[in-house]
Amino acid sequence: MVTKRLPLMDCLSRWQELPSREAHGFFAPGRANLLGAHMDYNGGAVMPVALSKGTYAVAGLRDDGLLHLESAQFPGEVLELPLSELRPQREPGAWSAYVEGGLWTAMERWGPLPGLDLILHADLPMAKGLSSSASVECLAVQVVARLLGLDPDTDLMIHLAHAAETKYVGVRCGILDQTAIFLGRADTVLHFDCLELTREHVPLDRREARIAIMDTGVARELASSAFNQRVSECTRALVLLQEHLPGITCLRDVTLEDLERLERFLPPVLQNRARHVVEEFARTDFGADALRLGNVADFGACMTRAHESLRNLFEVSTPELDALVQAATEVDGCYGGRLTGAGFGGCVAAIVHPEAATAFEQHVIAQYAEATGRQTEVQWFDPAGGPRELELP
Ligand code: GLA
């Protein structure tokens, strides 16, 4: 498809301004999580899809030990430094930290590259809950593996890309994003149990349901304290519950009955956080069963209930996210919707019968503008494949 090649062509035209070297093309997708919100770091299950949008790159080796890094999203900000100077949190918050982190963890594991030119172009909005950061981490790990001539196990690549985020960038995220990206498969939703590490690709028939992504227009800062604060709150709830349930290792191990019996030992905010996790675990289980049976309506209803819980109990929604979910779920043919990603802004994902697509777009755009005074648009996706090498023209 011509439009999909454009980001790669942009990388290539910038590549031509560099001294000539052998060039390789790469792509890593973004992801949308449909069910299992804030479950990965609580040992729960998640149900994400990889998207057909993500990060494109042209990369090649150089022999002077330098990293030369450019991104179409940050024109004029060319980074050039010795690869040996990459250090965790070298520049916290910088756009390049995610790329550097992926390169750093991969080279710590597999040994250094002799030097690297890397030119990026993402067609995924950044800081919008679609994992633009994990997409570049996964891409960077894939680039190092390929240029060293390795063909590593996918689990190792997931682990290295995840370490880029936790060790290099310093966000205490779980393994959802990197797993969703590396295990992306067309026309399926991944059901991944983050404790048991079991995976299953559950079909989502595009004749029955397509994924609509709507941007609130409000960006969020994942590295900001809010995400790490939720992780700390869940850890505190776990520690308090462990005094009464010594056998549990994560919040996912707590049953609803135990929580109802013991929640008086938790401060009210922690009661809410724990209740979200316990109920979301059951909801994801139920949603996965529904989808296995081809029951998209029940799966979608779980998404909408998940959003309510994220709003009321986990408190990571915003008025704009709520307005989009409200508008989306008012349309006949929309099965359900919720904020995707960590929350605090960003995008909503909804699943919609294809025949309702036009009515859905019209209603959501108009209602969102009326409720918030902001503009949105609807982008349509079907679950797509994971990172891959691209043939260069
Ligand atoms: C972010 C994190 C993930 C996960 C989600 C919430 O995307 O990077 O690890 O915790 O938020 O489900």
Side-chain angles (χ1 to χ4, degrees):
M1 262 202 285
V2 177
T3 47
K4 287 205 178 154
R5 306 294 296 176
L6 278 177
L8 192 63
M9 296 311 288
D10 171 64
C11 295
L12 263 181
S13 70
R14 285 182 294 132
W15 180 268
Q16 263 130 33
E17 290 164 23
L18 299 179
S20 115
R21 310 176 202 282
E22 195 189 348
H24 302 264
F26 297 91
F27 171 75
R31 67 97 189 90
N33 191 25
L34 302 184
L35 261 188
H38 290 269
M39 295 300 285
D40 52 355
Y41 57 86
N42 286 305
V46 293
M47 294 194 71
V49 296
L51 301 173
S52 50
K53 289 191 175 181
T55 314
Y56 290 78
V58 173
L61 292 177
R62 49 194 287 163
D63 53 17
D64 56 3
L66 289 183
L67 165 65
H68 173 99
L69 179 61
E70 295 181 28
S71 164
Q73 278 57 56
F74 299 90
E77 291 186 38
V78 175
L79 185 83
E80 212 162 84
L81 84 163
L83 276 169
S84 58
E85 281 182 15
L86 295 181
R87 296 271 178 283
Q89 306 227 24
R90 200 181 61 85
E91 245 187 279
W95 65 270
S96 59
Y98 303 97
V99 194
E100 294 172 26
L103 299 174
W104 177 77
T105 52
M107 291 193 302
E108 287 281 295
R109 175 75 189 207
W110 294 317
L113 292 174
L116 177 68
D117 288 320
L118 183 56
I119 297 195
L120 304 175
H121 185 135
D123 64 352
L124 196 66
M126 306 179 84
K128 291 295 174 73
L130 302 176
S131 269
S132 58
S133 49
S135 172
V136 292
E137 289 156 0
C138 294
L139 181 128
V141 169
Q142 186 201 5
V143 164
V144 176
R146 169 67 183 93
L147 296 185
L148 286 175
L150 305 172
D151 184 17
D153 177 68
T154 308
D155 282 327
L156 176 58
M157 300 221 271
I158 293 172
H159 167 77
L160 293 174
H162 180 237
E165 184 100 23
T166 55
K167 294 200 178 138
Y168 198 95
V169 182
V171 180
R172 295 164 61 193
C173 68
I175 196 109
L176 158 67
D177 305 336
Q178 296 79 8
T179 307
I181 289 170
F182 270 111
L183 297 185
R185 191 182 292 174
D187 297 320
T188 62
V189 181
L190 177 70
H191 180 256
F192 174 56
D193 186 314
C194 304
L195 187 64
E196 311 278 345
L197 303 181
T198 52
R199 299 97 194 254
E200 179 189 353
H201 286 94
V202 187
L204 181 68
D205 185 345
R206 63 174 76 186
R207 290 165 308 183
E208 282 291 313
R210 301 204 66 205
I211 299 168
I213 303 278
M214 288 83 59
D215 188 349
T216 56
V218 184
R220 40 119 277 242
E221 278 299 314
L222 182 59
S224 73
S225 54
F227 181 84
N228 283 346
Q229 188 195 346
R230 291 300 179 282
V231 179
S232 301
E233 287 167 349
C234 289
T235 310
R236 273 177 49 221
L238 174 67
V239 169
L240 291 173
L241 289 168
Q242 275 170 330
E243 288 175 16
H244 309 273
L245 300 167
I248 61 171
T249 59
C250 55
L251 278 186
R252 170 258 179 92
D253 288 337
V254 181
T255 63
L256 191 54
E257 295 71 45
D258 279 340
L259 184 64
E260 284 180 344
R261 188 166 55 84
L262 298 170
E263 64 187 352
R264 64 202 156 96
F265 296 109
L266 304 181
V269 167
L270 299 193
Q271 289 181 21
N272 287 344
R273 305 298 189 248
R275 182 170 279 271
H276 166 76
V277 174
V278 170
E279 290 180 352
E280 180 77 349
F281 182 61
R283 198 159 32 233
T284 308
D285 227 25
F286 181 83
D289 275 344
L291 208 57
R292 283 183 197 109
L293 296 170
N295 183 342
V296 188
D298 278 0
F299 180 78
C302 288
M303 288 175 67
T304 309
R305 283 202 297 275
H307 184 80
E308 284 158 16
S309 179
L310 289 166
R311 182 186 63 208
N312 300 334
L313 299 179
F314 219 67
E315 295 180 281
V316 292
S317 191
T318 64
E320 291 84 7
L321 288 163
D322 296 341
L324 273 179
V325 172
Q326 172 68 31
T329 52
E330 281 165 1
V331 180
D332 275 350
C334 173
Y335 301 105
R338 47 152 282 196
L339 67 87
T340 186
F344 314 111
C347 291
V348 160
I351 50 174
V352 183
H353 196 285
E355 281 170 14
T358 308
F360 182 85
E361 287 178 17
Q362 285 166 353
H363 184 81
V364 169
I365 290 168
Q367 283 304 113
Y368 187 61
E370 193 176 311
T372 65
R374 289 176 177 274
Q375 309 287 312
T376 191
E377 55 172 7
V378 179
Q379 294 198 52
W380 295 99
F381 291 92
D382 301 303
R388 51 195 169 270
E389 244 190 288
L390 301 175
E391 227 173 87
L392 294 176

